[in-house]
Amino acid sequence: MPGLNPPQREAVHYLDGPLLVLAGAGSGKTRVITQKIAYLIEECSIQPHHIAAITFTNKAAREMQERIGKRLPGRPLEGLTVSTFHALGARILRQEAKQCGLKPNFSILDASDSAGIVGELLRNADKAQIRAVQSRISMWKNSLLMPEAALEVAQDALERGAARLFAEYERTLRAYQAVDFDDLIRLPALLFESDAEVLSRWQGRLRYLLVDEYQDTNRCQYQMLKSLAGPRAAFTAVGDDDQSIYAWRGADVENLNTLKEDFPQLKVIKLEQNYRSTTRILKAANSLIANNPKLFEKRLWSERGHGAEIRGHVCRDGEHEAELVVMKLQAHKFEHRGAFRDYAILYRGNHQARVFEQYLRDQRIPYLLSGGQSFFDRAEIKDLTAYLRLIGNDNDDPAFIRAVTTPKRGVGGMTLEALGRYAGERHIGLFAAAFEAGAESHVSSRQLASVREFGSFIHRLATRAAREPARQVLEDLLKAIEYEKWLFDSCEPGEAEAKWANVRDFVDWLSRKGDEEQKNLLELGQTVALLSMLDKNEQDNDAVQLATLHAAKGLEFRHVFLVGVEEGWLPHRDAEAEGRLAEERRLMYVGITRAEQSLHLSWCGKRKQGKEWRTCVPSRFIAEMNPGGDDINISGGTPDAPPDKAIGHAKLAQFRALLNKT
């Protein structure tokens, strides 16, 4: 295969057993996966419907699909699975719903819906408590722990309370005929363990597996993949232990070791040639990551030349840092005749973006902000998706409550509370309860008439949604509930216009999706939680990219400004005590390896926290990536910064880093 280096070619051709491809940053892993899919179809005569390529994001899945289409033009690829873990899990659950105690049109709840249920069960809890319990339940689910087992491993009163609530939460989900995002992978994994017939059926369907970003898998995802692979072990896992940065959401880099243990015949191929960055940038990245314990030894190299020197900028404070970075970015763009899209400003936490946004706006520099509010998290989109969920599953109580009250139609909290008490007594959903004769003893006839009128409206829509084009049903829905009028009555004109434009975008996109995939609204509504806006292509915009280091993974930019590189921020102040220093170092490594041509680091002498000023010192990672002391050109300084213990600790860490290299 032309264009592949020897290790890439070996990875594509290897079919003698399970394969782990250790693909360093910028080493062409997506090319290897797409070329291998083409090889399986063209040279090995494996039918597309027997191949599954699994990724972590819709964007990665789309990119892979596009590349395969270009690699195999005119070739029928019906049945080829290129999807996220969650989309594959949803597909399995749809087809095996009965075995999981679900009906085929179950609802998929997003994080906010799930938080709403947790909040109701906790009663009077604040958002922080809700998030903490929700996170704990998610971790247990991703570890394949049932509520009883969670209670056994709970280490304190808070966790024991969360474990008891876990059981209630699960019962509530089943009553709603709903699953959360974690269930999309957990339930298939558990089903494969308990039902040999179902497992055999899916092993027969998906005969070769390719897994992208394998280092980001959690226990649950690994178990599902292990079951699907079975004794035949026909799979290629592609990953990089140096880029494992998602432990906070359950990812377990030890799955790389587990893979070796569970599949002793595993072959390992390393991709170490980097096609993205200059030698100088890779030298800094290699020096940094060498301070981590290694599962696999590898060292990136490049033929792209030595490249520009890495620049370090010492700033007085956060305001000065933002001003300096924006000024340096402008000057660099002018000097190199570049475009704004060539530049990225990367940081540890979302809150760091605000001051950079301010200075970019002041200079009228266009920018894009990653990691902000998702399109599907917008209130107006959640309003509309509540109707879609309810059309598909009238047991979905959260969707029922949102739809019946948005826009307002005379059904208030007291009515819903009374109906809820009756539904609880009968162990049925709110929708079904409204149409039972017994509801009349709990809810006034006038209020009940409004609820039943709404229910009949939903039933009519559900009937139409299964037969008619999605666009027509959506347009009639919006007209019937007078959503546009309600927006302009309840919001300021500018806000209402923006919200209505989002609704129109959503309707247009969902309608196109229905036409392209030949799906009706009922089918689209069942999986809408897994969809993303395909036509919101940020790459077409000439704008500076602002992103967290987590959000930047998988991206690349010609020029990168990595800001706030200070002890307490990067690494985070809690990392060392919590045993997360290695992951923080990997996070820094990811930031460095986003850069193709130039890398700028900046840190401050002091920062304002609330009303107080805090003395800052450069991150220990700067010394680790610059062991010789001459690979980073540092300018600026903070001569007025008073010494303190933090400075002493940081200098000691830097000194130790130097000693470890000698």
Side-chain angles (χ1 to χ4, degrees):
M1 293 184 175
L4 296 177
N5 64 37
Q8 288 176 328
R9 194 174 298 111
E10 184 184 10
V12 169
H13 290 164
Y14 186 81
L15 293 173
D16 294 335
L19 172 64
L20 172 62
V21 180
L22 285 171
S27 63
K29 65 180 179 68
T30 305
R31 181 177 178 84
V32 166
I33 294 172
T34 53
Q35 290 278 27
K36 187 151 193 172
I37 292 171
Y39 179 71
L40 291 169
I41 295 171
E42 284 189 315
E43 304 297 328
C44 306
S45 300
I46 297 179
Q47 294 299 310
H49 63 270
H50 287 318
I51 301 170
I54 307 166
T55 72
F56 273 85
T57 66
N58 287 311
K59 181 182 176 183
R62 287 197 305 275
E63 182 186 351
M64 205 173 287
Q65 247 169 338
E66 288 166 4
R67 289 200 191 186
I68 295 165
K70 289 176 182 176
R71 178 64 182 77
L72 300 172
R75 184 86 184 224
L77 298 173
E78 286 85 2
L80 175 66
T81 297
V82 182
S83 74
T84 63
F85 275 96
H86 291 94
L88 176 60
R91 175 185 160 194
I92 295 168
L93 278 187
R94 293 286 175 212
Q95 295 185 34
E96 311 295 346
K98 188 177 180 182
Q99 281 74 14
C100 295
L102 295 165
K103 57 185 185 181
N105 59 337
F106 61 83
S107 296
I108 301 171
L109 305 188
D110 63 17
S112 63
D113 294 319
S114 159
I117 294 173
V118 171
E120 286 178 15
L121 294 173
L122 280 173
R123 299 181 182 86
N124 303 318
D126 59 30
K127 287 183 178 179
Q129 289 173 300
I130 292 169
R131 280 197 300 270
V133 171
Q134 190 180 10
S135 175
R136 191 64 265 170
I137 291 174
S138 178
M139 285 293 196
W140 283 326
K141 284 193 171 191
N142 288 328
S143 299
L144 290 173
L145 289 180
M146 306 304 283
E148 302 80 20
L151 191 57
E152 287 179 13
V153 301
Q155 296 183 352
D156 53 37
L158 185 67
E159 286 200 346
R160 285 191 291 275
R164 284 190 286 271
L165 189 127
F166 182 10
E168 292 184 61
Y169 174 77
E170 287 294 279
R171 284 194 292 272
T172 303
L173 286 185
R174 296 299 165 264
Y176 292 170
Q177 280 290 295
V179 299
D180 60 22
F181 261 37
D182 297 319
D183 286 331
L184 293 177
I185 299 164
R186 183 179 76 113
L187 292 179
L190 293 173
L191 180 63
F192 290 157
E193 282 187 349
S194 64
D195 196 319
E197 185 182 339
V198 171
L199 176 59
S200 177
R201 185 161 61 244
W202 281 95
Q203 287 175 339
R205 290 180 188 176
L206 305 177
R207 297 181 185 176
Y208 200 93
L209 303 174
L210 301 102
V211 187
D212 192 16
E213 304 286 7
Y214 175 77
Q215 78 283 347
D216 292 332
T217 55
N218 57 38
R219 182 185 170 189
C220 199
Q221 289 160 337
Y222 175 70
Q223 190 58 47
M224 185 173 80
L225 292 170
K226 181 185 172 184
S227 296
L228 283 172
R232 189 169 62 244
F235 68 81
T236 295
V238 182
D240 181 9
D241 52 321
D242 291 334
Q243 296 188 77
S244 179
I245 59 173
Y246 293 114
W248 54 275
R249 69 181 189 195
D252 188 356
V253 70
E254 282 298 317
N255 280 345
L256 287 161
N257 271 336
T258 306
L259 201 64
K260 289 194 295 181
E261 294 166 5
D262 289 344
F263 300 94
Q265 71 276 41
L266 181 75
K267 183 177 178 63
V268 178
I269 296 174
K270 299 177 185 179
L271 304 184
E272 296 173 292
Q273 183 175 357
N274 177 287
Y275 294 92
R276 176 186 302 158
S277 307
T278 64
T279 297
R280 200 189 300 258
I281 290 170
L282 293 182
K283 180 185 176 185
N286 286 330
S287 296
L288 171 77
I289 208 65
N291 291 275
N292 268 4
K294 306 294 286 185
L295 291 176
F296 301 93
E297 288 295 335
K298 78 176 177 300
R299 192 169 183 85
L300 296 182
W301 60 276
S302 171
E303 293 180 341
R304 297 199 63 196
H306 202 53
E309 63 184 1
I310 298 172
R311 303 298 301 270
H313 308 290
V314 187
C315 309
R316 291 188 305 275
D317 53 34
E319 294 276 343
H320 180 224
E321 182 183 38
E323 182 182 20
L324 183 74
V325 166
V326 171
M327 182 185 71
K328 293 279 185 185
L329 189 154
Q330 280 183 301
H332 193 279
K333 176 182 177 292
F334 179 80
E335 183 182 348
H336 294 85
R337 303 292 189 267
F340 285 121
R341 69 168 62 89
D342 297 335
Y343 295 83
I345 301 173
L346 308 181
Y347 36 81
R348 177 67 174 79
N350 275 310
H351 64 281
Q352 294 171 268
R354 183 195 58 79
V355 66
F356 292 96
E357 287 189 79
Q358 177 187 318
Y359 276 91
L360 288 166
R361 284 196 300 268
D362 288 347
Q363 296 300 314
R364 300 190 177 182
I365 296 173
Y367 67 90
L368 292 167
L369 189 63
S370 290
Q373 187 184 40
S374 158
F375 184 85
F376 280 88
D377 285 337
R378 299 177 189 275
E380 60 275 19
I381 304 304
K382 289 180 76 68
D383 290 342
L384 196 49
T385 55
Y387 280 89
L388 300 185
R389 282 167 43 192
L390 192 58
I391 288 168
N393 174 18
D394 58 20
N395 284 327
D396 190 335
D397 280 3
F400 175 84
I401 293 168
R402 186 167 191 130
V404 80
T405 57
T406 313
K408 304 288 186 189
R409 50 176 48 83
V411 179
M414 291 181 66
T415 300
L416 290 172
E417 190 176 335
L419 187 63
R421 282 196 298 271
Y422 175 71
E425 292 171 7
R426 297 278 296 121
H427 303 288
I428 57 177
L430 292 168
F431 198 107
F435 286 91
E436 286 198 347
E440 294 166 8
S441 61
H442 290 69
V443 184
S444 73
S445 55
R446 184 176 61 83
Q447 296 290 2
L448 200 57
S450 297
V451 177
R452 286 173 173 174
E453 184 183 346
F454 171 75
S456 299
F457 169 64
I458 294 296
H459 273 147
R460 290 194 299 273
L461 280 177
T463 302
R464 292 182 60 195
R467 300 193 301 244
E468 299 179 24
R471 182 179 293 278
Q472 189 59 57
V473 182
L474 283 168
E475 295 289 0
D476 290 348
L477 164 63
L478 289 171
K479 194 174 189 179
I481 66 176
E482 298 184 321
Y483 193 77
E484 183 181 12
K485 180 179 183 300
W486 178 77
L487 279 178
F488 280 88
D489 287 345
S490 56
C491 303
E492 294 294 322
E495 184 186 4
E497 285 175 13
K499 285 176 179 284
W500 183 243
N502 287 334
V503 169
R504 295 307 320 169
D505 278 353
F506 180 62
V507 169
D508 290 343
W509 170 74
L510 204 57
S511 302
R512 287 198 306 274
K513 190 85 174 161
D515 293 340
E516 290 165 5
E517 299 184 5
Q518 297 184 319
K519 288 183 176 179
N520 59 44
L521 189 59
L522 203 60
E523 293 167 325
L524 290 170
Q526 288 175 349
T527 56
V528 73
L530 296 172
L531 303 177
S532 61
M533 295 290 285
L534 301 182
D535 56 351
K536 301 288 183 181
N537 192 347
E538 297 179 346
Q539 294 179 1
D540 295 336
N541 297 316
D542 185 24
V544 175
Q545 182 75 60
L546 270 65
T548 65
L549 290 167
H550 287 100
K553 185 158 177 286
L555 305 178
E556 56 187 33
F557 307 92
R558 290 184 182 176
H559 313 288
V560 168
F561 288 81
L562 184 48
V563 303
V565 190
E566 301 149 18
E567 291 290 311
W569 290 123
L570 187 63
H572 191 272
R573 65 179 64 85
D574 300 328
E576 199 157 16
E578 297 175 359
R580 294 189 289 104
L581 189 59
E583 177 151 338
E584 291 289 300
R585 189 173 283 112
R586 292 194 292 269
L587 194 58
M588 179 78 174
Y589 175 86
V590 165
I592 295 169
T593 55
R594 298 313 92 195
E596 297 176 4
Q597 297 177 11
S598 74
L599 176 65
H600 300 254
L601 311 172
S602 60
W603 56 94
C604 297
K606 58 180 181 180
R607 284 192 187 272
K608 199 168 187 179
Q609 282 191 317
K611 296 181 179 179
E612 303 293 323
W613 283 95
R614 177 179 67 87
T615 300
C616 305
V617 295
S619 169
R620 70 190 73 186
F621 297 157
I622 295 169
E624 292 178 359
M625 62 187 287
N626 185 32
D630 55 1
D631 288 327
I632 302 177
N633 185 337
I634 298 175
S635 60
T638 54
D640 59 334
D644 64 7
K645 289 182 180 179
I647 293 175
H649 289 317
K651 286 183 176 178
L652 183 60
Q654 293 167 9
F655 182 66
R656 284 172 177 162
L658 289 172
L659 286 178
N660 289 335
K661 301 301 290 184
T662 59

